[in-house]
């Protein structure tokens, strides 16, 4: 029923009136605001301040017709504008560490079918959410944010479970 009711919107969005090339060029203007913020301020405009600075300065500098306040539809560009290049580098390192742990979980959990399934599922879900956040404002929406926090917690729990098992098998005790 919901699909039927929204079919005209979906058809127009994906098959009809919306031109992806024009849409991406328009979204590029939001990304340009982020680049300008990072160029002007080494550490960005501050967490949560993208829209305010867009209103104050950057939207009109990019395009007079650009609605001020709208952040990029890409989490990396939002972080670039709000945290600058040093913050973006830190963000990248955090994600790289997280994905390294998630991939390592798959290898260290291969003897436990349940943990292997959980590890692979969490990695897949994290990748899907992350790629989606590069096209929409996913992590700024509370349900997706909390889902990602939950999945991340599971990844870390599996990591510590595997670490605990490894220490025990080597005759070492893990401080609890």
């Amino acid at each position: 029923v919901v699909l039927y009711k929204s079919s005209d919107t979906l058809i127009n969005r994906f098959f009809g009136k919306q031109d992806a090339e024009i849409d991406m060029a328009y979204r590029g203007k939001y990304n340009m605001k982020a680049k300008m913020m990072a160029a002007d301020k080494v550490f960005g405009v501050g967490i949560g301040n993208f829209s305010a600075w867009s209103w104050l300065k950057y939207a009109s500098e990019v395009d007079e017709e650009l609605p001020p306040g709208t952040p990029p539809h890409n989490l990396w560009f939002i972080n670039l504008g709000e945290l600058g290049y040093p913050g973006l580098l830190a963000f990248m390192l955090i994600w790289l560490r997280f994905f390294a742990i998630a991939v390592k979980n798959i290898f260290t959990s291969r003897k436990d079918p349940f943990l292997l399934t959980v590890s692979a599922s969490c990695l897949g879900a994290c990748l899907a959410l992350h790629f989606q956040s590069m096209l929409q404002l996913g992590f700024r929406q509370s349900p997706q944010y909390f889902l990602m926090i939950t999945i991340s917690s599971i990844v870390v729990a599996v990591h510590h479970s595997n670490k605990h098992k490894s220490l025990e098998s080597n005759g070492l005790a893990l401080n609890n």
Side-chain angles (χ1 to χ4, degrees):
V1 173
V2 173
L3 187 60
Y4 174 75
K5 288 280 194 186
S6 62
S7 63
D8 60 335
T9 303
L10 293 171
I11 289 169
N12 284 333
R13 168 123 181 154
F14 295 107
F15 301 107
K17 298 176 184 174
Q18 187 166 353
D19 184 339
E21 188 174 326
I22 292 171
D23 187 49
M24 293 307 289
Y26 189 74
R27 288 180 182 206
K29 292 179 181 183
Y30 296 131
N31 299 346
M32 181 56 67
K33 291 189 297 185
K35 292 176 187 175
M36 292 171 68
M37 289 175 189
D40 287 352
K41 301 180 181 307
V42 174
F43 293 102
V45 296
I47 295 175
N49 289 326
F50 192 100
S51 293
W53 277 94
S54 175
W55 274 97
L56 291 172
K57 180 179 180 183
Y58 295 101
S60 62
E61 289 183 12
V62 171
D63 184 344
E64 289 291 332
E65 302 294 317
L66 192 64
T70 305
H73 290 55
N74 183 312
L75 188 62
W76 290 84
F77 279 105
I78 291 173
N79 282 312
L80 175 62
E82 292 184 352
L83 303 173
Y85 286 102
L88 185 65
L89 178 63
F91 182 70
M92 181 183 70
L93 292 173
I94 289 167
W95 273 110
L96 286 174
R97 174 67 177 139
F98 175 78
F99 283 122
I101 288 171
V103 169
K104 183 180 177 185
N105 282 351
I106 291 173
F107 290 107
T108 57
S109 299
R110 65 184 180 277
K111 292 181 182 176
D112 183 335
F114 175 74
L115 287 182
L116 178 60
T117 302
V118 169
S119 298
S121 300
C122 286
L123 178 59
C126 286
L127 287 170
L129 286 169
H130 188 77
F131 288 130
Q132 193 272 341
S133 77
M134 295 167 77
L135 300 172
Q136 292 294 331
L137 301 172
F139 284 127
R140 294 286 172 111
Q141 297 169 1
S142 295
Q144 274 193 330
Y145 173 76
F146 290 123
L147 177 62
M148 188 63 200
I149 294 299
T150 302
I151 292 169
S152 300
S153 300
I154 293 168
V155 167
V156 171
V158 170
H159 174 72
H160 284 285
S161 174
N162 289 337
K163 190 174 185 178
H164 186 77
K165 287 177 187 175
S166 174
L167 288 172
E168 283 180 341
S169 69
N170 291 324
L172 301 171
L174 184 67
N175 295 335
N176 290 327

